Amino acid sequence: MSEKNEQLADNEEITNNQQPVDYGDDAIQTLDWEVHIRLRPGMYIGKVGDGSAADDGIYVLLKEVIDNSIDEFMMGNGKKIEVEVTDTTVSVRDYGRGIPLGSLVKAASVMNTGAKYNSKTFKKSVGLNGVGIKAVNALSSKFVIISYREGQMRRAEFEKGKLVSDTGLLPTEEPNGTFVSFTPDGTIFQDYSYRDEYVVQQLKNYTFLNIGLVIVYNGVKMVSRDGLLDLLKENMSNEPIYPTIHLRGDDIEIAFTHCNQYGEEYYSFVNGQFTPLGGTHLTAFKESVARTLKDYYNKSFEYSDARTGIVAAISIKVEEPNFESQTKTRLGSSNMSPGGPTVQKFIGDFVKKELDNYLHRNLDVADIILKKIQRNERDRKAMSAVTKQTKDKAKKLLVYNKKLSDCTVHLSDNKGNEEKKLATSIFITEGNSAAGTITQIRDVETQAVFSLRGKPLNTYGLPLAEVYKNEEFSSLRTALNIENSLDDLRYNKVIIATDADVDGMHIRLLLMTYFLQFCPDLVKSGHVYVLQTPLFRVRDKSSTRRRDNKSKSDKKAKQDTYYCYSDQERIDVLQKLGSNAEITRFKGLGEISPDEFRGFIGPDMRVDRISLRKDDAISWLLEFYMGKNTSERQNFIIDNLVIEDDSQIS
């Protein structure tokens, strides 16, 4: 790596607001591959994060490594993958063919190098651009790759993308396959750790999509016998109203049922890759199911009536797939293969034939589905008048009452930067003070702000029509653009941003109650989050450095300031600083200055995802905490009351 590249890679404060003194030949730079990845990791892995969210970069690194092992399995090589994960380090051992030994170093460190450009070698692979494992290498403080092949092996070790050792060819008795171990670089992924819940879900999805594949995770065996049927059983939080319909064909598998719940819930995959934002395959599947049901019953109901309450999964295998971003969250392919049938026709023909045959063979299930569709139709017609009135009023409230400060990029945009669309978020705040603070310092391109007026309605147990009439929730649904479905959702993340006090927590619970009851698909799709904001700011009083944001010592001054998100973090900092600590307790978002707040809603902001799983007992939790059992809940609070010691807070 050149000296100039090293300086650029190690520079912690690369800014865009400094104008070059002279724009000449010296201003034009060519970066080494690993420098560019480290400088712009978002281009390769999406957001960086610290592991607290399922889409954080460290899980993308894990996926990039395992994808190669999955490709081997899909080509009929190696039925077992062993995965070991600690807080900071990952190792993956597969039993495929092993990387050709002469190309091992190039495969791990030369961009646009790989076997997947040849469709005969990897016919229906996930990664086709020769980038994934190189990104893992460049973003790891230590990266080891070993290939075992026909009685020989080769081991190469890298640090931040730079080769530090290479054994060359050695004899071995190990079975064929590849071993990869990596430790994400802590200077890029600060204070990160792998969370078991996200790793387990990621690995289970691989087994659901690859029947017969065995994944051993930290000694625990995972395997699926029924594919997408197992996936739906794992993820459904409500009981199905009829047995899940499970259909398989060449390069396609689908499974679906209906539950008594609002919205539509989908899980879509391409070549074993989870596509949370869907794409051409999911659009085709949704249209095909609704059209086939409509044709079978020979009724004139709307497609939405056929899909309300549906829980479904689709997996297809496409030759040379085209994804809309490096993180592969949405399929853009129009055809199943070069010169082959369109995705729409392939899925449409399969669903029409197989689902129609199933319904003719299972008349009892067909009858249950028809009754569900008719019930959905009655509910929709009953709501139509209410919806029109509230939607028109909600639009006026958003505009004239300035409840929404919108952004310029939206998730539902048909074209544009996919990374920016994934970065879109809307903060739901309490009151004008917090909304004003966030609005001042937000990223106008990707961050919107929705301001609540007072405490929202407790929606637990209320009929949908009454909830629709509520101004706050009607305005929120309009802002999110989810009146009919999630297809046109305008923001990737819906972030509840309330004060860390009793009132703020109450508002948070009221919003969560609404989302869990009336927008479960929004929650299950991973769109709803809670913003973590610091409870305390701790400063080193012994420091005499100026804390003026415009001063040259600003960077050092910030290093003497600690933001604590829990009492334990505060205690840890106090032990570090001793008597030199100056502590401020934040009691509301409006108390935090805009400049200070900017860091809390940046690219690496701390958020907790709201999840909804089968074993969460959501109905019981909502009834206990949000129902009318006031005395029982009061006794619970008293029995679990913790008195906070504020003696050290100034």
Side-chain angles (χ1 to χ4, degrees):
M1 187 192 302
S2 68
E3 181 179 351
K4 185 177 292 185
N5 277 333
E6 286 184 350
Q7 292 174 352
L8 188 56
D10 294 335
N11 188 348
E12 296 179 359
E13 288 195 304
I14 298 173
T15 60
N16 296 320
N17 58 1
Q18 297 177 350
Q19 298 298 323
V21 176
D22 181 35
Y23 180 55
D25 290 335
D26 291 342
I28 306 300
Q29 300 180 0
T30 300
L31 302 182
D32 292 342
W33 69 274
E34 75 275 17
V35 178
H36 188 271
I37 294 175
R38 292 173 62 80
L39 188 64
R40 298 285 186 265
M43 290 180 59
Y44 301 89
I45 62 167
K47 72 168 187 170
V48 175
D50 61 0
S52 59
D55 60 347
D56 282 349
I58 61 171
Y59 303 110
V60 178
L61 300 184
L62 170 61
K63 182 192 76 65
E64 292 290 358
V65 173
I66 295 182
D67 279 350
N68 292 329
S69 300
I70 296 297
D71 287 335
E72 281 293 295
F73 173 82
M74 290 175 62
M75 294 295 293
N77 305 291
K79 295 184 178 180
K80 182 172 72 170
I81 302 173
E82 297 167 349
V83 182
E84 296 285 338
V85 180
T86 67
D87 284 346
T88 59
T89 302
V90 172
S91 65
V92 178
R93 170 69 156 104
D94 70 36
Y95 295 87
R97 291 166 291 183
I99 298 171
L101 301 180
S103 302
L104 181 68
V105 173
K106 289 196 301 182
S109 62
V110 178
M111 293 293 282
N112 305 317
T113 299
K116 298 175 185 177
Y117 303 106
N118 182 349
S119 295
K120 293 181 180 179
T121 306
F122 289 91
K123 186 177 181 182
K124 290 161 185 172
S125 172
V126 176
L128 297 172
N129 299 318
V131 174
I133 203 168
K134 287 81 167 178
V136 181
N137 187 355
L139 297 174
S140 298
S141 56
K142 182 178 180 180
F143 177 91
V144 175
I145 184 167
I146 306 173
S147 179
Y148 306 99
R149 196 172 168 102
E150 307 301 335
Q152 290 185 308
M153 64 165 284
R154 185 177 180 181
R155 180 186 187 276
E157 182 175 335
F158 300 79
E159 293 179 358
K160 301 178 182 179
K162 297 170 64 176
L163 181 66
V164 295
S165 70
D166 178 3
T167 64
L169 300 184
L170 297 173
T172 183
E173 296 182 359
E174 282 281 328
N176 288 357
T178 303
F179 172 88
V180 173
S181 174
F182 66 92
T183 302
D185 188 349
T187 64
I188 296 175
F189 305 91
Q190 297 183 7
D191 299 320
Y192 76 90
S193 64
Y194 281 94
R195 296 197 179 185
D196 193 65
E197 58 184 301
Y198 298 138
V199 175
V200 168
Q201 188 58 61
Q202 190 175 23
L203 298 181
K204 280 187 176 180
N205 280 347
Y206 281 118
T207 63
F208 295 145
L209 297 166
N210 298 277
I211 295 175
L213 171 67
V214 175
I215 294 182
V216 181
Y217 170 57
N218 288 351
V220 178
K221 181 180 176 181
M222 300 178 184
V223 65
S224 171
R225 302 301 179 193
D226 292 313
L228 294 186
L229 186 62
D230 290 337
L231 183 145
L232 290 192
K233 288 179 181 177
E234 176 83 14
N235 288 279
M236 277 191 292
S237 54
N238 290 295
E239 290 298 317
I241 62 176
Y242 57 86
T244 301
I245 298 173
H246 188 204
L247 306 172
R248 295 173 180 162
D250 292 338
D251 294 332
I252 186 171
E253 179 183 0
I254 67 172
F256 75 89
T257 185
H258 283 80
C259 298
N260 288 320
Q261 63 184 41
Y262 296 101
E264 304 170 27
E265 185 179 330
Y266 297 100
Y267 303 89
S268 65
F269 304 85
V270 176
N271 296 5
Q273 167 69 37
F274 179 41
T275 48
L277 298 183
T280 53
H281 61 314
L282 182 56
T283 299
F285 172 68
K286 293 164 67 174
E287 291 179 356
S288 300
V289 168
R291 183 172 58 250
T292 300
L293 291 175
K294 185 174 181 178
D295 291 344
Y296 174 81
Y297 297 113
N298 194 25
K299 302 285 187 181
S300 60
F301 52 72
E302 295 188 4
Y303 282 2
S304 61
D305 296 333
R307 297 197 300 249
T308 296
I310 196 172
V311 182
I314 177 172
S315 173
I316 64 170
K317 294 179 180 178
V318 178
E319 190 172 326
E320 299 184 13
N322 172 34
F323 294 98
E324 294 187 5
S325 70
Q326 172 61 26
T327 51
K328 306 179 183 74
T329 54
R330 190 198 308 265
L331 179 68
S333 296
S334 299
N335 295 80
M336 293 295 293
S337 62
T342 65
V343 172
Q344 175 75 47
K345 177 173 174 51
F346 174 79
I347 295 176
D349 289 349
F350 174 81
V351 171
K352 179 176 178 58
K353 176 184 176 182
E354 299 299 330
L355 179 55
D356 187 76
N357 287 343
Y358 178 93
L359 295 173
H360 278 95
R361 291 193 301 265
N362 298 271
L363 298 180
D364 54 338
V365 173
D367 185 57
I368 295 173
I369 295 176
L370 177 59
K371 290 178 179 177
K372 171 62 175 171
I373 294 173
Q374 291 171 334
R375 187 162 64 250
N376 290 340
E377 185 178 34
R378 289 194 299 269
D379 292 343
R380 175 181 55 80
K381 290 180 178 179
M383 287 294 301
S384 60
V386 175
T387 302
K388 186 180 187 309
Q389 294 173 1
T390 56
K391 188 173 182 178
D392 292 342
K393 187 175 183 180
K395 287 182 177 179
K396 293 179 181 178
L397 287 172
L398 292 177
V399 175
Y400 298 115
N401 289 12
K402 297 181 179 179
K403 292 183 68 64
L404 175 66
S405 297
D406 207 357
C407 54
T408 58
V409 176
H410 298 103
L411 182 65
S412 54
D413 291 345
N414 292 326
K415 296 181 180 180
N417 187 308
E418 190 70 15
E419 272 68 39
K420 281 191 176 180
K421 288 195 285 184
L422 290 175
T424 54
S425 57
I426 182 170
F427 296 95
I428 305 175
T429 66
E430 49 173 314
N432 294 329
S433 178
T437 298
I438 298 179
T439 300
Q440 287 183 57
I441 47 83
R442 68 193 171 112
D443 180 342
V444 177
E445 279 193 302
T446 61
Q447 293 178 327
V449 183
F450 180 90
S451 177
L452 291 170
R453 185 181 64 185
K455 288 187 178 180
L457 176 72
N458 182 357
T459 60
Y460 177 71
L462 296 181
L464 183 60
E466 188 170 341
V467 176
Y468 261 73
K469 293 176 183 177
N470 179 264
E471 288 186 0
E472 294 298 307
F473 287 120
S474 177
S475 298
L476 180 58
R477 290 181 70 89
T478 300
L480 299 178
N481 201 30
I482 57 172
E483 289 93 340
N484 299 316
S485 72
L486 294 190
D487 289 348
D488 297 317
L489 176 67
R490 303 182 78 224
Y491 315 97
N492 188 36
K493 284 188 171 64
V494 180
I495 303 173
I496 301 171
T498 60
D499 293 341
D501 58 13
V502 174
D503 285 339
M505 293 296 180
H506 189 202
I507 292 173
R508 181 185 300 180
L509 287 174
L510 291 169
L511 289 169
M512 289 170 61
T513 300
Y514 167 74
F515 285 124
L516 290 171
Q517 283 194 118
F518 299 102
C519 307
D521 46 346
L522 193 69
V523 176
K524 284 197 171 184
S525 298
H527 293 294
V528 184
Y529 294 79
V530 173
L531 177 68
Q532 291 187 35
T533 51
L535 296 174
F536 308 96
R537 178 182 61 215
V538 184
R539 285 175 171 166
D540 185 353
K541 290 192 295 186
S542 65
S543 173
T544 58
R545 303 181 185 92
R546 294 175 59 196
R547 291 186 171 87
D548 184 347
N549 286 334
K550 297 180 181 179
S551 72
K552 293 181 180 179
S553 62
D554 180 49
K555 176 186 173 184
K556 192 62 180 174
K558 288 180 179 178
Q559 291 177 346
D560 296 321
T561 301
Y562 303 85
Y563 296 98
C564 306
Y565 290 76
S566 66
D567 282 325
Q568 186 59 52
E569 289 186 22
R570 179 191 64 169
I571 293 170
D572 292 343
V573 172
L574 289 177
Q575 290 177 344
K576 178 178 180 179
L577 298 180
S579 60
N580 291 323
E582 172 190 275
I583 308 174
T584 300
R585 169 67 181 268
F586 294 125
K587 296 185 178 180
L589 301 184
E591 294 181 354
I592 305 176
S593 68
D595 283 337
E596 199 165 25
F597 205 97
R598 182 175 285 108
F600 308 142
I601 63 168
D604 298 321
M605 61 183 165
R606 294 196 193 186
V607 291
D608 292 320
R609 175 182 167 183
I610 299 177
S611 62
L612 181 55
R613 296 167 298 194
K614 186 173 184 178
D615 55 354
D616 282 337
I618 292 297
S619 298
W620 180 87
L621 288 172
L622 288 176
E623 183 178 1
F624 181 82
Y625 289 105
M626 308 307 293
K628 297 181 179 180
N629 56 328
T630 307
S631 59
E632 184 181 359
R633 189 163 57 246
Q634 186 180 54
N635 291 334
F636 173 82
I637 293 172
I638 294 172
D639 292 341
N640 292 273
L641 185 64
V642 176
I643 305 297
E644 184 183 81
D645 179 12
D646 286 341
S647 60
Q648 300 186 66
I649 302 175
S650 62

